[in-house]
Amino acid sequence: QQQQQQQRQQRQRRGGGGGGGRVVEFRWNRQRVFDEHLANSLFERVQNAPHATVLSTRGQEIKKWPPHPLNTLEMQKRVNRVLRIAPEKIMKVAEELYQKGFISYPRTETDRFPDSFNFLENIALFYNHDTFGPYARELVERDGFRKPPGGHRDDKAHPPIYPAKLATAHEYNGWKRENQQVYDFVLRHFLATCSKPAVGYKTTVEVDCAGEGFKANGLMIADRAYLRIYGPGPIFPPDGPRLNPYFDNWTAQEELPTFEDGERFQPSHRNLRDSETVKPQMLSEVDLLTLMEKNGIGTDATQAQHIDKVVGERGYAKKVGENRLVPTNIGEALVAGYDSLQLGFMWQPTKRAEMEKDVDNVHRGSITKEDAIRKNIEPMLRAFAKCESNEEDLIRIVKRFVERGRNVNVEQRYGGPERERDFFEDEEEDEGAFDDA
């Protein structure tokens, strides 16, 4: 006990808390407050406190699980987010690979394999792959395989997307870059789903200072498992090949030194940071696909086509910066025109979602085809008649937006390129007020 007390006193003199002079950052449990006077008042109390007291230390094993088997929507979202390939282009490439027998049918909502699927036989097809072959062999021969449990979607027509044939070097090198990228993604995703979860050990230390709670976290990754093939690697630690691009990651945090419950230490620094909220980013194609799914618009076979039609064919929106979608002048004019005539349902997602639902109801037999057509066509005809009778008003609104567009382009109005970032980093938002750390 005397030795432990001396060690604690030495740590306090060094000002780093538990851990022999190492700097450990504790973050405020409140995270932020929006009242500057209150923030300053609380900070003054913390600033004047002579010490902080360790309330609890706990450690636990945590796991990061592999992705579910691949369906169409997830393929579009993951490939677009990382590789910046448009969803419609992704589907075109996937169809080409399917037609040549390299991947399974790419239009499916299913994210779980049937019980009859032979995983080990399919993995063995890729033992001779130049880059991923050794990992595939290890899954089977070194007890690395885990049967993927899958999600809860099954369209009863097609299994999840999986690699069906190993491409020879000659075949692979003859492909376009996009074809290589999509094929590699499908293969890596399949191997990842058949892998065990990554394992880490998380340590959390909670302290009290002047009645305010603070927390520090540490994470040590013990086994990267599926992240060796789906993340940045290395495939064979510590020196095996690294992978770029990568589709998932888990970043280790600094391992915390040992603290003891009830221990006291003198904080070396106390900081109050002044920040402000920021406007949300414009939607990306991944965001849009997610919202379309949420609102019941389109299917795995049509969602990418919808986006391509709105952006590419009709020009209601365009891509700017880091794959963000912004409305064009004609797109805004269309919305403003509909709103001016109280026809908001023509541009809002609700009507299209209702129409898609009625198609499903016809299939289930709960509504007749004739009733569904009448229910959805009649409001469209009334809207068309109203637009026709108010043609001059619509032209005036469109003209206003078009003339504005001659002087202000969409990049200036909605913001230009944004910083490149790691989509898989576990970062905390710095938005919003006064952060005490």
Side-chain angles (χ1 to χ4, degrees), residues 68-105:
H68 287 322
L70 189 64
N71 62 20
T72 302
L73 182 60
E74 277 302 308
M75 177 175 67
Q76 292 173 328
K77 289 162 61 175
R78 290 173 183 263
V79 173
N80 175 263
R81 179 175 61 178
V82 176
L83 301 177
R84 298 289 193 261
I85 303 175
E88 180 70 6
K89 179 65 174 177
I90 294 169
M91 295 312 301
K92 181 180 178 181
V93 168
E95 289 281 2
E96 292 175 1
L97 294 172
Y98 165 68
Q99 294 294 339
K100 295 177 180 178
F102 290 103
I103 67 172
S104 63
Y105 187 65

Side-chain angles (χ1 to χ4, degrees), residues 28-179:
W28 196 21
N29 289 349
R30 296 182 190 239
Q31 296 185 344
R32 57 184 64 90
V33 296
F34 291 87
D35 184 323
E36 185 175 6
H37 176 74
L38 175 61
N40 286 323
S41 176
L42 294 173
F43 180 63
E44 185 177 357
R45 283 170 45 191
V46 172
Q47 187 88 331
N48 293 328
H51 58 257
T53 303
V54 177
L55 300 179
S56 69
T57 61
R58 60 183 184 272
Q60 61 178 343
E61 179 184 275
I62 58 175
K63 295 181 178 179
K64 186 173 178 65
W65 295 93
H68 287 322
L70 189 64
N71 62 20
T72 302
L73 182 60
E74 277 302 308
M75 177 175 67
Q76 292 173 328
K77 289 162 61 175
R78 290 173 183 263
V79 173
N80 175 263
R81 179 175 61 178
V82 176
L83 301 177
R84 298 289 193 261
I85 303 175
E88 180 70 6
K89 179 65 174 177
I90 294 169
M91 295 312 301
K92 181 180 178 181
V93 168
E95 289 281 2
E96 292 175 1
L97 294 172
Y98 165 68
Q99 294 294 339
K100 295 177 180 178
F102 290 103
I103 67 172
S104 63
Y105 187 65
R107 297 185 183 274
T108 176
E109 297 178 9
T110 305
D111 61 3
R112 62 184 304 120
F113 283 101
D115 293 336
S116 59
F117 189 85
N118 193 326
F119 292 98
L120 301 185
E121 182 179 281
N122 209 79
I123 293 172
L125 294 174
F126 303 95
Y127 280 179
N128 293 324
H129 190 284
D130 289 344
T131 304
F132 311 132
Y135 183 89
R137 186 180 296 275
E138 182 182 284
L139 284 184
V140 177
E141 298 181 355
R142 297 189 182 178
D143 194 32
F145 173 74
R146 164 184 168 270
K147 184 178 179 180
H152 303 285
R153 297 182 181 179
D154 188 351
D155 62 15
K156 308 298 183 183
H158 303 286
I161 304 166
Y162 63 91
K165 184 172 70 173
L166 175 64
T168 65
H170 176 74
E171 290 169 327
Y172 185 85
N173 292 332
W175 291 346
K176 296 178 181 177
R177 179 60 176 157
E178 291 92 343
N179 294 58

Side-chain angles (χ1 to χ4, degrees), residues 286-305:
V286 172
D287 298 329
L288 186 53
L289 284 168
T290 301
L291 288 171
M292 290 172 71
E293 181 186 29
K294 181 180 179 180
N295 285 276
I297 297 176
T299 65
D300 59 285
T302 62
Q303 287 166 336
Q305 296 172 357

